[in-house]
Amino acid sequence: GAVVSQHPSRVICKSGTSVKIECRSLDFQATTMFWYRQFPKQSLMLMATSNEGSKATYEQGVEKDKFLINHASLTLSTLTVTSAHPEDSSFYICSAGGAGTPYNEQFFGPGTRLTVL
Amino acid sequence: AQRVTQPEKLLSVFKGAPVELKCNYSYSGSPELFWYVQYSRQRLQLLLRHISRESIKGFTADLNKGETSFHLKKPFAQEEDSAMYYCALSGGSGQNFVFGPGTRLSVLP
């Protein structure tokens, strides 16, 4: 199946700094990438939909100036958490899919655990 | 608007018992339905998709358009089935992918 990678897998940063998380589709071109947030033992919460070459679509309640998403190529999307605060600590997961994937399904990255001190 | 509901947050069954994880959806069109599974400390992975009508790890799911349901079933649960299960819907072309809230399945020995 298709492979999606995320980097870094774990990051610890100080409050007020910015953190960039990369999501790559390794063996297919993803026209669409999704960014999720997951709290312990809870469901995925969709943050935004990222379409290659255009602005991301953010879900209600997600601050677009705080969570900057860039999808500059068909294999890479980045999520930057700007001026991170402890409440931003969470597990961030990306998925990639689109017309190039079988059955239009989503393939998930392993996630990035962000801890803001 | 698209929506996926999973009424049970937690479902506990004994090993060898049948299990059914419920999923209902709302969508004005012909959706594509999926079940994803997340085992402890692993990434989400596709379990099965309605379009291929397959059975994976003994699980099956039938799309019932009349009841707008896509329940996941297995006749004899195993302890290794314990995981978080998500029902998901796609509006086509990979756009508008919506997940349900998930059901945590716990299979007791």
Side-chain angles (χ1 to χ4, degrees):
Chain A
V3 178
V4 175
S5 70
Q6 272 183 252
H7 179 80
S9 59
R10 188 183 298 263
V11 57
I12 300 172
C13 68
K14 291 183 179 179
S15 185
T17 60
S18 294
V19 174
K20 180 185 283 188
I21 302 170
E22 292 186 349
C23 177
R24 293 182 185 272
S25 57
L26 298 184
D27 50 2
F28 68 101
Q29 293 185 328
T31 53
T32 308
M33 288 184 171
F34 298 85
W35 286 96
Y36 299 86
R37 189 171 176 176
Q38 186 178 34
F39 293 102
K41 300 202 174 185
Q42 293 191 28
S43 182
L44 298 169
M45 184 191 80
L46 179 65
M47 298 175 66
T49 302
S50 168
N51 296 301
E52 186 267 337
S54 63
K55 289 184 179 180
T57 303
Y58 290 81
E59 295 299 299
Q60 194 171 12
V62 178
E63 298 176 59
K64 58 183 68 178
D65 293 331
K66 181 166 186 61
F67 298 99
L68 300 178
I69 291 173
N70 183 283
H71 192 163
S73 77
L74 285 170
T75 58
L76 173 64
S77 176
T78 59
L79 167 68
T80 301
V81 183
T82 62
S83 187
H85 290 284
E87 57 265 29
D88 298 325
S89 297
S90 190
F91 197 55
Y92 293 87
I93 303 170
C94 74
S95 70
T101 58
Y103 307 110
N104 299 317
E105 65 192 78
Q106 292 292 308
F107 296 94
F108 286 83
T112 297
R113 183 162 302 284
L114 169 64
T115 303
V116 184
L117 303 175
Chain B
Q2 298 167 202
R3 193 175 175 206
V4 177
T5 57
Q6 293 177 250
E8 303 134 331
K9 289 186 72 172
L10 174 65
L11 181 63
S12 295
V13 301
F14 286 103
K15 176 182 173 182
V19 62
E20 180 180 51
L21 292 95
K22 291 185 168 53
C23 170
N24 288 88
Y25 67 90
S26 61
Y27 182 71
S28 57
S30 295
E32 296 172 20
L33 276 296
F34 307 88
W35 275 99
Y36 281 83
V37 60
Q38 187 175 29
Y39 299 103
S40 180
R41 298 183 182 278
Q42 294 187 29
R43 72 177 74 188
L44 264 166
Q45 55 187 285
L46 180 68
L47 181 61
L48 53 80
R49 53 180 83 88
H50 91 268
I51 198 168
S52 51
R53 305 179 70 82
E54 57 205 341
S55 173
I56 303 294
K57 298 183 179 182
F59 285 97
T60 59
D62 290 319
L63 179 61
N64 186 321
K65 292 186 178 180
E67 296 181 358
T68 58
S69 68
F70 188 55
H71 302 328
L72 182 68
K73 300 177 184 178
K74 184 170 182 176
F76 308 102
Q78 302 298 314
E79 289 182 69
E80 55 265 30
D81 296 327
S82 296
M84 194 76 175
Y85 291 81
Y86 295 93
C87 182
L89 174 155
S90 171
S93 302
Q95 301 289 330
N96 304 319
F97 210 87
V98 177
F99 277 89
T103 297
R104 183 169 295 282
L105 174 65
S106 178
V107 181
L108 307 172

